[in-house]
Amino acid sequence: MKRIFLYLAPLVLLASCAKNLDDYNVDQKNPAEVSQAPLFSNALKELTDDVTSPSVNINVFRFWIQQWTATTYQDEPRYNFVTRNIAQNFWEPLYQEVLHDLKQAKAYATDDTEIEDVQRNNQLAAIEITSVYAWTVLVNTWGDVPYTEALSDIGQPKYDDAATIYADLLNRLDAAIAMIDPNGDSFGSADLLYGGDMAAWLKFAHSLKLKMAITLADVDETKAREIISTSVAAAFTSNADNATFAYVSASPNNNPVSNNLNSQFTSRQDYVAGGPFISVLNSVQDPRRPFFFTTVNGEYVGGGIGSSNQYSTNSKPSDKVIAPDFEALLLDYSEVEFILAEAAARWGLGGTPSEHYNKAIEASITYWGGDDRDVATYLAQPAVAYETASGDWKEKIGVQKWLALYNRGYDAWVEWKRLDYPQLEPAFRAVDPGIIPNRLTYPISERTLNGTNVNAAASKLGGDDVVHKIFWDVN
């Protein structure tokens, strides 16, 4: 009897812990359903990781914009992004990890009966703003992409017109702005950008509108001017408003830059400063240099783009940049002021170009760690001052914006395409056709699984190659 009891006792205890046999089939580490909060958090992190990572398997824009270059392996600086399937690796997280999670978060928030309408609307607004941001990354990188039929059960979604997508995204952004109650609750600590501060999200949304508007400036001047005029007063007004993602020191939530450059996570020595970028920084004694890079015998030295470079004889990204807990930026105040400088130069909107240009540069220098004296000394240089710097407004703003967007390769690449400055030479031994890419080609998986729609999109563009430009890049 004692032996029988010993066998039966565990069964009784197990039975008391479960209501039915289905409870035994629940994977506690991979739940079938989650709430909107963790989905929103994950989408924010995946979005930030995708545009921040320097991995040659995912994000190579720092190479293309020549802020960094490589030591040994030169495929990516030379624009060979096929062997590593980079297009696929950049595309997939945006659809599968970001936009899919945001769609699910939206559904859960809509159906959540345990929160008040104000909180629900604020959650839906934050979800929508993040979605719009992610969609702009896709469009700015490829052009036409699956949109209206994406994230659905349709196995072969059509590719929507890029300009039409942009117009719809602006409408969605306006609708999200209208939903926001700045004093209401939202996601709280699950909001990894602003900690649930909806007044901050409101500024972010209007700043994103400015960013999208200036992107359209060469193809729809009327629309661009209208958006900037109506959103400028509600956009960022200082670095305190920046859309920053706060990474932490421990993996897997550390800054992905540290995974590729910090000795705490890797022993590889693949990245050094890009020569063209360092050359411009040195020519104006830029006060951000010690925050951007290390020195070699007291000097800032950059490597050749597409050439083999020795790690020990070139400057490397600084300890600040490669720190595991260094924050990432999705949009900042400096960008807003550069947009306003451009609007003033183009159309005479809102003050003078030099006023906003100076504020943009000041915001960047102080963000990185410089002080007021650094700002004044830098702006006093004839090669920097708006009135005397080389070229027209596109060159003046384009060069300084390139510097201010350091360590943000994707954004710097988009602005370089749009403004055509700085004028960069293609990499040494650049792969055919020998130009800095204007877009990524469509992923191989899309050609395999959705070939008819990919071919239609490529045909409309003029070819699925790096030569043809996104609809707004007309110059």
Side-chain angles (χ1 to χ4, degrees), residues 70-104:
T71 52
T72 305
Y73 304 105
Q74 298 301 324
D75 282 352
E76 290 72 35
R78 291 174 180 169
Y79 324 126
N80 179 353
F81 49 83
V82 176
T83 56
R84 293 184 188 271
N85 207 6
I86 291 166
Q88 179 73 31
N89 296 334
F90 193 64
W91 166 291
E92 210 165 68
L94 290 169
Y95 275 109
Q96 294 185 3
E97 302 294 335
V98 180
L99 290 167
H100 180 269
D101 279 7
L102 291 170
K103 179 183 177 182
Q104 291 298 109

Side-chain angles (χ1 to χ4, degrees), residues 459-471:
S459 176
K460 178 183 148 192
L461 187 66
D464 185 18
D465 53 38
V466 302
V467 177
H468 290 90
K469 298 181 177 182
I470 309 302
F471 78 97

